[in-house]
Amino acid sequence: MPELHYDIVGTGPVLLLLPGGAGHPMGLDPLIGHLVPHFTVVTYDPLGLAHGRLGEPVADQRVADWSEGAHRVLAKVAGEDGAAYVLGTSSGGITALDLLARHPGRLRGVIAHEPPCVTLLPDGERLRAGLIGQLAGGRPAAGEPTPFGVFLDHVLRPFTAYRPATGLPRLTVAAGTDSRDQLLYRTAEFVAQYTGGAFAEFPGGHLGAVEHPAAFAERVGEALLG
Protein backbone atom coordinates (compact mmCIF):
# COMPACT_ATOMS: atom_id res chain seq x y z
CA MET A 1 0.00 0.00 0.00
CA PRO A 2 1.14 3.59 -0.57
CA GLU A 3 2.94 5.25 2.33
CA LEU A 4 0.75 7.50 4.47
CA HIS A 5 1.81 11.06 5.28
CA TYR A 6 0.12 12.88 8.14
CA ASP A 7 0.79 14.95 11.26
CA ILE A 8 -0.89 14.84 14.68
CA VAL A 9 -1.14 17.61 17.26
CA GLY A 10 -3.48 18.45 20.13
CA THR A 11 -5.74 16.55 22.50
CA GLY A 12 -9.42 15.64 22.53
CA PRO A 13 -11.61 14.00 19.90
CA VAL A 14 -9.93 13.28 16.58
CA LEU A 15 -10.50 15.82 13.81
CA LEU A 16 -9.17 14.70 10.43
CA LEU A 17 -8.15 17.77 8.39
CA LEU A 18 -8.20 17.34 4.60
CA PRO A 19 -6.56 20.35 2.92
CA GLY A 20 -7.57 21.63 -0.50
CA GLY A 21 -5.53 21.98 -3.67
CA ALA A 22 -3.08 19.10 -4.00
CA GLY A 23 -3.46 18.28 -0.31
CA HIS A 24 -0.49 20.36 0.89
CA PRO A 25 -1.43 21.96 4.24
CA MET A 26 0.29 25.27 3.44
CA GLY A 27 -1.05 28.21 5.38
CA LEU A 28 -3.12 26.07 7.76
CA ASP A 29 -0.87 26.22 10.83
CA PRO A 30 -2.79 29.16 12.39
CA LEU A 31 -6.11 27.33 11.92
CA ILE A 32 -4.65 24.19 13.47
CA GLY A 33 -3.38 26.26 16.38
CA HIS A 34 -6.93 27.45 17.09
CA LEU A 35 -8.34 23.91 16.79
CA VAL A 36 -5.93 22.05 19.06
CA PRO A 37 -7.47 23.21 22.36
CA HIS A 38 -10.57 21.26 21.34
CA PHE A 39 -9.40 18.47 19.04
CA THR A 40 -6.60 16.09 18.24
CA VAL A 41 -5.96 17.46 14.76
CA VAL A 42 -4.72 14.91 12.22
CA THR A 43 -3.64 16.61 9.00
CA TYR A 44 -3.55 14.24 6.02
CA ASP A 45 -1.11 15.00 3.19
CA PRO A 46 -2.24 12.53 0.48
CA LEU A 47 0.66 13.12 -1.92
CA GLY A 48 3.30 13.74 0.73
CA LEU A 49 4.06 17.15 -0.75
CA ALA A 50 4.76 18.62 2.69
CA HIS A 51 6.80 15.53 3.60
CA GLY A 52 9.58 15.69 1.05
CA ARG A 53 7.81 14.40 -2.07
CA LEU A 54 7.28 17.68 -3.91
CA GLY A 55 8.99 17.32 -7.28
CA GLU A 56 8.54 13.57 -7.53
CA PRO A 57 6.39 12.19 -10.39
CA VAL A 58 2.63 12.40 -9.78
CA ALA A 59 -0.12 10.58 -11.68
CA ASP A 60 -3.62 11.90 -12.22
CA GLN A 61 -5.39 11.58 -8.90
CA ARG A 62 -8.57 9.71 -7.94
CA VAL A 63 -10.99 10.84 -5.24
CA ALA A 64 -11.38 7.23 -4.10
CA ASP A 65 -7.64 6.90 -3.49
CA TRP A 66 -7.51 10.01 -1.31
CA SER A 67 -10.62 8.82 0.52
CA GLU A 68 -9.23 5.37 1.24
CA GLY A 69 -5.92 6.89 2.30
CA ALA A 70 -7.82 9.09 4.75
CA HIS A 71 -9.63 6.01 6.06
CA ARG A 72 -6.31 4.23 6.60
CA VAL A 73 -5.06 7.25 8.55
CA LEU A 74 -8.15 7.12 10.76
CA ALA A 75 -7.59 3.42 11.38
CA LYS A 76 -4.04 4.15 12.56
CA VAL A 77 -4.94 7.14 14.70
CA ALA A 78 -8.36 6.26 16.09
CA GLY A 79 -8.20 2.46 15.86
CA GLU A 80 -10.25 0.15 13.68
CA ASP A 81 -13.47 0.98 15.52
CA GLY A 82 -12.80 4.57 16.56
CA ALA A 83 -14.86 7.46 15.22
CA ALA A 84 -13.66 10.91 14.24
CA TYR A 85 -14.73 14.30 12.93
CA VAL A 86 -13.65 15.48 9.49
CA LEU A 87 -13.02 18.93 8.02
CA GLY A 88 -12.25 19.09 4.31
CA THR A 89 -11.77 22.24 2.24
CA SER A 90 -12.12 22.50 -1.55
CA SER A 91 -10.68 19.29 -3.06
CA GLY A 92 -10.33 18.05 0.51
CA GLY A 93 -14.06 18.70 0.89
CA ILE A 94 -14.68 16.35 -2.02
CA THR A 95 -12.51 13.75 -0.29
CA ALA A 96 -14.59 14.25 2.86
CA LEU A 97 -17.83 13.63 0.94
CA ASP A 98 -16.45 10.40 -0.51
CA LEU A 99 -15.10 9.26 2.85
CA LEU A 100 -18.51 9.83 4.44
CA ALA A 101 -20.23 7.86 1.67
CA ARG A 102 -17.83 4.91 2.03
CA HIS A 103 -17.41 4.81 5.81
CA PRO A 104 -20.33 6.62 7.46
CA GLY A 105 -20.03 4.63 10.67
CA ARG A 106 -16.52 5.95 11.31
CA LEU A 107 -17.45 9.63 11.23
CA ARG A 108 -19.11 11.63 13.99
CA GLY A 109 -19.58 14.68 11.82
CA VAL A 110 -18.22 16.07 8.56
CA ILE A 111 -17.72 19.60 7.23
CA ALA A 112 -17.13 19.95 3.48
CA HIS A 113 -16.15 23.56 2.81
CA GLU A 114 -16.84 24.74 -0.76
CA PRO A 115 -16.33 21.35 -2.45
CA PRO A 116 -16.13 22.16 -6.20
CA CYS A 117 -18.65 19.52 -7.36
CA VAL A 118 -19.77 21.87 -10.11
CA THR A 119 -21.04 19.13 -12.45
CA LEU A 120 -24.06 18.76 -10.15
CA LEU A 121 -25.32 22.16 -11.24
CA PRO A 122 -27.51 22.71 -14.29
CA ASP A 123 -25.11 23.26 -17.20
CA GLY A 124 -22.44 21.86 -14.93
CA GLU A 125 -20.06 20.73 -17.65
CA ARG A 126 -19.89 24.24 -19.10
CA LEU A 127 -19.35 25.68 -15.64
CA ARG A 128 -16.63 23.12 -14.95
CA ALA A 129 -14.83 23.99 -18.18
CA GLY A 130 -14.99 27.67 -17.26
CA LEU A 131 -13.66 27.02 -13.76
CA ILE A 132 -10.77 24.93 -15.11
CA GLY A 133 -9.94 27.63 -17.64
CA GLN A 134 -10.03 30.34 -15.00
CA LEU A 135 -7.74 28.47 -12.60
CA ALA A 136 -5.36 27.34 -15.32
CA GLY A 137 -4.98 30.97 -16.32
CA GLY A 138 -3.29 31.54 -12.98
CA ARG A 139 -0.59 28.95 -13.63
CA PRO A 140 2.79 30.13 -12.31
CA ALA A 141 5.75 30.56 -14.63
CA ALA A 142 7.70 27.40 -15.42
CA GLY A 143 10.34 26.57 -12.87
CA GLU A 144 10.41 24.67 -9.60
CA PRO A 145 7.41 22.39 -9.03
CA THR A 146 4.71 23.84 -6.79
CA PRO A 147 1.67 22.35 -5.03
CA PHE A 148 -0.54 24.59 -7.20
CA GLY A 149 1.05 23.18 -10.33
CA VAL A 150 0.41 19.63 -9.10
CA PHE A 151 -3.18 20.61 -8.40
CA LEU A 152 -3.70 22.03 -11.89
CA ASP A 153 -2.07 19.10 -13.66
CA HIS A 154 -3.32 16.12 -11.66
CA VAL A 155 -6.16 17.03 -9.26
CA LEU A 156 -8.38 19.75 -10.69
CA ARG A 157 -9.96 17.87 -13.60
CA PRO A 158 -10.72 14.52 -11.95
CA PHE A 159 -11.95 16.06 -8.71
CA THR A 160 -14.30 18.62 -10.29
CA ALA A 161 -15.97 15.75 -12.17
CA TYR A 162 -16.90 14.04 -8.88
CA ARG A 163 -20.57 13.54 -8.04
CA PRO A 164 -21.31 12.83 -4.37
CA ALA A 165 -23.75 10.30 -3.01
CA THR A 166 -27.18 11.26 -1.69
CA GLY A 167 -28.48 10.76 1.83
CA LEU A 168 -25.19 11.47 3.61
CA PRO A 169 -25.57 11.62 7.42
CA ARG A 170 -24.04 14.12 9.85
CA LEU A 171 -22.88 16.40 7.04
CA THR A 172 -22.48 20.16 6.94
CA VAL A 173 -21.68 21.74 3.59
CA ALA A 174 -20.16 25.16 4.14
CA ALA A 175 -19.49 28.23 2.01
CA GLY A 176 -17.71 31.46 2.82
CA THR A 177 -19.63 34.67 3.39
CA ASP A 178 -17.26 36.40 0.99
CA SER A 179 -18.12 33.82 -1.69
CA ARG A 180 -21.74 34.90 -2.01
CA ASP A 181 -22.81 35.35 -5.63
CA GLN A 182 -19.87 33.20 -6.72
CA LEU A 183 -19.92 29.77 -8.36
CA LEU A 184 -18.58 27.77 -5.42
CA TYR A 185 -21.08 29.29 -2.97
CA ARG A 186 -23.90 28.28 -5.28
CA THR A 187 -22.28 24.86 -5.69
CA ALA A 188 -22.09 24.36 -1.92
CA GLU A 189 -25.79 25.19 -1.56
CA PHE A 190 -26.61 22.70 -4.32
CA VAL A 191 -24.39 19.99 -2.80
CA ALA A 192 -26.14 20.42 0.55
CA GLN A 193 -29.54 19.98 -1.06
CA TYR A 194 -28.38 17.04 -3.18
CA THR A 195 -26.72 15.13 -0.32
CA GLY A 196 -29.28 15.99 2.34
CA GLY A 197 -26.68 17.82 4.38
CA ALA A 198 -27.05 21.05 6.33
CA PHE A 199 -25.78 24.28 4.80
CA ALA A 200 -23.75 26.81 6.80
CA GLU A 201 -21.81 29.98 6.16
CA PHE A 202 -18.23 30.27 7.38
CA PRO A 203 -16.02 33.36 7.63
CA GLY A 204 -14.09 34.58 4.60
CA GLY A 205 -14.12 33.19 1.10
CA HIS A 206 -12.80 30.04 -0.52
CA LEU A 207 -9.60 30.41 1.52
CA GLY A 208 -11.38 31.37 4.71
CA ALA A 209 -9.49 28.75 6.71
CA VAL A 210 -6.27 30.63 5.88
CA GLU A 211 -7.65 34.18 5.86
CA HIS A 212 -9.63 34.04 9.14
CA PRO A 213 -8.24 31.11 11.12
CA ALA A 214 -9.61 32.05 14.55
CA ALA A 215 -13.16 32.76 13.38
CA PHE A 216 -13.08 29.76 11.04
CA ALA A 217 -11.98 27.45 13.87
CA GLU A 218 -14.77 28.80 16.06
CA ARG A 219 -17.32 27.93 13.38
CA VAL A 220 -15.83 24.46 13.04
CA GLY A 221 -16.33 23.88 16.75
CA GLU A 222 -19.90 25.15 16.60
CA ALA A 223 -20.76 22.93 13.63
CA LEU A 224 -19.17 19.75 14.98
CA LEU A 225 -19.49 20.07 18.77
CA GLY A 226 -22.58 22.28 18.99
Side-chain angles (χ1 to χ4, degrees), residues 39-66:
F39 298 98
T40 297
V41 181
V42 181
T43 306
Y44 178 40
D45 176 9
L47 297 177
L49 300 184
H51 292 81
R53 296 182 62 88
L54 183 61
E56 296 188 9
V58 177
D60 288 347
Q61 297 299 293
R62 299 173 63 246
V63 174
D65 291 340
W66 285 27

Side-chain angles (χ1 to χ4, degrees), residues 45-206:
D45 176 9
L47 297 177
L49 300 184
H51 292 81
R53 296 182 62 88
L54 183 61
E56 296 188 9
V58 177
D60 288 347
Q61 297 299 293
R62 299 173 63 246
V63 174
D65 291 340
W66 285 27
S67 173
E68 284 308 304
H71 184 245
R72 288 173 56 209
V73 170
L74 285 181
K76 285 182 173 291
V77 173
E80 291 294 338
D81 299 321
Y85 297 102
V86 176
L87 166 63
T89 64
S90 192
S91 54
I94 289 177
T95 305
L97 293 172
D98 195 66
L99 180 62
L100 181 57
R102 293 173 184 272
H103 304 285
R106 294 297 306 271
L107 307 182
R108 295 178 174 180
V110 172
I111 298 171
H113 183 265
E114 296 200 8
C117 304
V118 293
T119 57
L120 285 180
L121 296 170
D123 202 16
E125 288 298 338
R126 181 187 64 81
L127 294 170
R128 175 173 174 260
L131 178 64
I132 291 172
Q134 176 185 354
L135 292 174
R139 174 181 291 278
E144 292 296 318
T146 65
F148 186 59
V150 175
F151 167 68
L152 291 177
D153 291 338
H154 301 292
V155 180
L156 175 59
R157 285 172 175 81
F159 274 57
T160 52
Y162 178 79
R163 298 178 66 87
T166 59
L168 296 179
R170 300 177 298 282
L171 170 64
T172 299
V173 184
T177 55
D178 294 346
S179 297
R180 292 173 185 167
D181 301 323
Q182 296 180 15
L183 173 60
L184 294 184
Y185 188 102
R186 179 183 168 212
T187 301
E189 289 183 307
F190 203 93
V191 171
Q193 295 171 3
Y194 183 84
T195 59
F199 176 78
E201 286 192 334
F202 274 47
H206 191 63

